[in-house]
Amino acid sequence: MPVGKFLVQRLRVPTILHGISRSASSGSMVISDPLNFWSARRVKLNDTAKTEAVYEPATGRLLCQLQHCGEEEVNQAVSNGHSAFGVWSKMSGMERAKVMLEAARIIERRREEIAEVEVVNNGKSITEARLDVDSARLCIEYYAGLASTLAGQHVQLPGGSFAYTRREPLGVCVGIGAWNYPLQIAAWKSAPALACGNSMVFKPSPVTPVTAVLLAEIYVQAGAPSGLYNVVQGGQETGMLLCYHPSVAKVSFTGSVPTGKKIMEMAASGVKPVTLELGGKSPLIVFEDSDLENAVRGALMANFLSQGQVCSNGTRVFVQRQILPQFLEEVVQRTRAIQIGDPLLEQTRMGAVVSRPQLEKVLGYIRQAKEEGARILCGGEPITPADPKLKNGYYMSPCVMDNCTDNMTCVQEEIFGPVMSVLPFDTEEEVLRRANDTTMGLAAGVFTRDVKRAHRVVENLQAGTCFINNYNITPVEVPFGGYKASGIGRENGQVTIEFYSQLKTVVVEMGDVDSLF
């Protein structure tokens, strides 16, 4: 496709979604409507004192002024969720599934529109954003299919007596999202919650507040009761109000380890169950017998998706020493060829880092790595695209570093940017010990042609999600979550039903009471 056609696509003017339009002169997107949502509508807050500027990563332009929710607004959203729960929880699984499937159909019809908004809000490429929209839709479809299968167990007891169990919803669940996958996380948390008969109050990251509200509108359009899925915007204070709220039954959080620990402490005060999907410093192990082409592809997928802003990324790439030179040559060549620029263009493969502070943080890690002795093979520098509309965007070149050691800061701490640290190893025993030498355990990967070794290594890796000869593949049918400080509970898969429901045991006596008194 010629470049001119891309520019026409970026500059189109008509309103694409409710409350969102493009400026005819600059092509920038403008968010005009409120981003808080309850009572089946967007809500403009009376108190305008607590606002926060939100910027488009690709251009650095102001996208909107975000209104933060305080105690009054949180109470209203939770109250609406409680009212909806009374209706939704009494519906059959088939009735709930019907609404959820209609929501999925709406998402499919509006895939391109929603993906474009995700790009503008987050900075990732339009190609990735489409896949995120697909993941959200598939997750809702998957849990719609499970909604009618929730069932207990019958247990026969002596003398004709029996017991049975019931799987029941929890109530109003809180979801707190991260900025790297705004829509996908909103769906991953809401779909199992709604399938089990719960309602939800969702708080997106204040950096990426837009698409969660689109999902709320879609649920309403699909026929969900008013208040079933509510959105409250804000930062730490709003999150605290949600976690401490006495009418909230559960908290599910995606984000950093330090924040996850605080949320667990707050939820503990009300003995509320939590699901925590936290950070990672995951190892990717490449053995000498690997299919090198696939190993290189896997390493790139493990480090540069969404500008490297993925919690499961395999940022510690351990390569067996015999193939290290060949591996580095190929990885560097392909990294240098990554197309960086306007994330709305089809040919772009790496867009903008989510914010100016995050960009500075990532570049700071690279400077520190150089000071500690790492060698920069390519990238690691800020970029100013040629397009003048993008001159204030948050761009950098993807970075590959070698000469790394286990004690370097870049190897020990989560950078959350497009930075790959490559480390040599000699033996399987050695690399397992080094791979597990971390407080986190979200993901891990191994590339090898030896089937026995692949399964042996995975068995000994301390990580909740492991990949063999691939990386960063997250089908909604498969549970995702971590070991150690990387979290508690799982998202996706059938097992997640257990984290959004509670089990009631009923014992039925068919004879006389056998009393000691």
Side-chain angles (χ1 to χ4, degrees):
M1 247 192 240
V3 173
K5 190 164 185 178
F6 292 132
L7 293 178
V8 169
Q9 180 183 14
R10 191 181 205 322
L11 291 171
R12 67 188 182 200
V13 178
T15 299
I16 60 171
L17 286 166
H18 181 61
I20 303 174
S21 61
R22 282 199 179 279
S23 164
S25 59
S26 66
S28 61
M29 190 173 281
V30 179
I31 308 297
S32 57
D33 276 8
L35 294 175
N36 290 291
F37 190 99
W38 54 85
S39 300
R41 61 182 177 83
R42 294 177 181 245
V43 180
K44 185 175 182 179
L45 308 189
N46 295 325
D47 184 4
T48 59
K50 296 179 181 177
T51 60
E52 180 176 352
V54 179
Y55 298 94
E56 180 183 6
T59 65
R61 295 190 183 102
L62 181 68
L63 187 60
C64 65
Q65 290 287 350
L66 186 68
Q67 292 184 309
H68 285 224
C69 288
E71 184 174 5
E72 179 182 352
E73 292 79 24
V74 167
N75 287 339
Q76 290 174 7
V78 173
S79 176
N80 272 263
H82 190 267
S83 297
F85 171 72
V87 177
W88 186 252
S89 62
K90 300 303 180 185
M91 294 168 63
S92 69
M94 290 290 285
E95 290 173 315
R96 294 198 292 268
K98 184 178 179 180
V99 173
M100 294 176 69
L101 288 172
E102 178 59 24
R105 282 189 285 268
I106 295 169
I107 291 172
E108 186 171 25
R109 287 198 302 268
R110 298 167 65 177
R111 177 185 189 238
E112 195 66 24
E113 302 169 355
I114 298 169
E116 185 175 342
V117 177
E118 191 80 325
V119 169
V120 171
N121 198 191
N122 171 270
K124 67 178 62 183
S125 72
I126 186 66
T127 303
E128 284 194 40
R130 291 184 187 120
L131 298 176
D132 291 357
V133 176
D134 290 344
S135 176
R137 172 182 57 81
L138 289 169
C139 185
I140 294 170
E141 287 179 352
Y142 176 75
Y143 284 105
L146 290 182
S148 62
T149 69
L150 304 184
Q153 180 184 22
H154 179 276
V155 181
Q156 191 65 45
L157 300 175
S161 297
F162 62 93
Y164 64 91
T165 59
R166 291 169 49 91
R167 188 157 290 283
E168 299 181 344
L170 298 168
V172 180
C173 297
V174 161
I176 301 177
W179 46 253
N180 55 342
Y181 286 89
L183 179 73
Q184 185 187 86
I185 291 173
W188 280 20
K189 294 189 186 304
S190 63
L194 301 190
C196 290
N198 303 289
S199 60
M200 175 162 278
V201 178
F202 188 79
K203 190 193 84 64
S205 164
V207 180
T208 53
V210 181
T211 45
V213 192
L214 303 184
L215 181 60
E217 291 180 325
I218 287 169
Y219 278 134
V220 171
Q221 187 180 348
S226 173
L228 184 66
Y229 179 82
N230 310 278
V231 178
V232 295
Q233 304 285 357
Q236 181 179 350
E237 180 183 348
T238 308
M240 290 176 61
L241 290 167
L242 289 168
C243 291
Y244 282 125
H245 200 288
S247 296
V248 165
K250 176 201 168 68
V251 180
S252 177
F253 169 75
T254 298
S256 70
V257 174
T259 304
K261 290 179 179 179
K262 293 177 182 177
I263 284 176
M264 194 171 183
E265 290 175 2
M266 289 185 283
S269 67
V271 199
K272 295 170 185 165
V274 295
T275 295
L276 301 175
E277 197 272 279
L278 308 179
K281 194 65 184 175
S282 302
L284 174 60
I285 303 170
V286 180
F287 285 96
E288 62 175 331
D289 68 337
S290 301
D291 179 324
L292 190 63
E293 171 73 13
N294 278 327
V296 169
R297 289 179 180 177
L300 296 175
M301 290 291 287
N303 282 271
F304 299 142
L305 276 177
S306 294
Q307 296 73 251
Q309 300 165 144
V310 183
C311 52
S312 58
N313 268 359
T315 53
R316 293 184 295 146
V317 182
F318 294 94
V319 182
Q320 204 152 21
R321 201 176 299 274
Q322 295 91 321
I323 62 168
L324 181 61
Q326 188 180 357
F327 176 88
L328 286 173
E329 181 181 358
E330 190 66 24
V331 162
V332 169
Q333 179 182 344
R334 295 197 180 202
T335 300
R336 284 176 172 156
I338 293 173
Q339 189 80 16
I340 309 164
D342 188 342
L344 285 170
L345 304 189
E346 294 289 344
Q347 71 265 37
T348 297
R349 286 297 173 266
M350 182 171 289
V353 175
V354 74
S355 68
R356 177 69 64 186
Q358 184 64 21
L359 175 61
E360 294 301 329
K361 177 184 175 184
V362 175
L363 295 174
Y365 270 112
I366 295 171
R367 287 193 297 270
Q368 185 174 5
K370 290 172 67 175
E371 293 169 1
E372 293 179 4
R375 181 173 58 167
I376 310 300
L377 300 181
C378 67
E381 298 175 342
I383 288 178
T384 303
D387 187 338
K389 294 191 300 296
L390 310 178
K391 66 179 181 179
N392 295 317
Y394 317 133
Y395 298 92
M396 66 170 287
S397 52
C399 180
V400 178
M401 303 189 296
D402 78 337
N403 202 37
C404 297
T405 59
D406 294 343
N407 61 346
M408 287 181 177
T409 305
C410 65
V411 176
Q412 293 188 337
E413 296 184 12
E414 186 175 34
I415 298 175
F416 229 61
V419 182
M420 180 192 303
S421 301
V422 182
L423 305 99
F425 75 93
D426 293 300
T427 68
E428 179 182 319
E429 181 183 14
E430 168 211 342
V431 76
L432 276 170
R433 173 182 54 78
R434 293 168 63 194
N436 289 330
D437 187 19
T438 173
T439 59
M440 292 178 277
L442 186 54
V446 55
F447 276 82
T448 178
R449 285 189 172 97
D450 187 334
V451 175
K452 290 183 178 179
R453 175 161 60 189
H455 292 287
R456 183 173 63 244
V457 169
V458 163
E459 180 184 358
N460 288 285
L461 284 169
Q462 298 167 4
T465 303
C466 295
F467 304 94
I468 295 176
N469 293 330
N470 209 331
Y471 207 91
N472 268 343
I473 305 300
T474 53
V476 296
E477 305 95 324
V478 178
F480 178 79
Y483 282 12
K484 300 190 282 190
S486 287
I488 293 174
R490 292 295 181 269
E491 295 191 299
N492 292 342
Q494 293 186 35
V495 70
T496 301
I497 294 296
E498 298 178 14
F499 299 108
Y500 282 98
S501 62
Q502 53 195 344
L503 204 61
K504 177 182 286 181
T505 298
V506 181
V507 180
V508 181
E509 177 59 61
M510 298 299 288
D512 295 329
V513 174
D514 187 8
S515 175
L516 295 177
F517 305 101

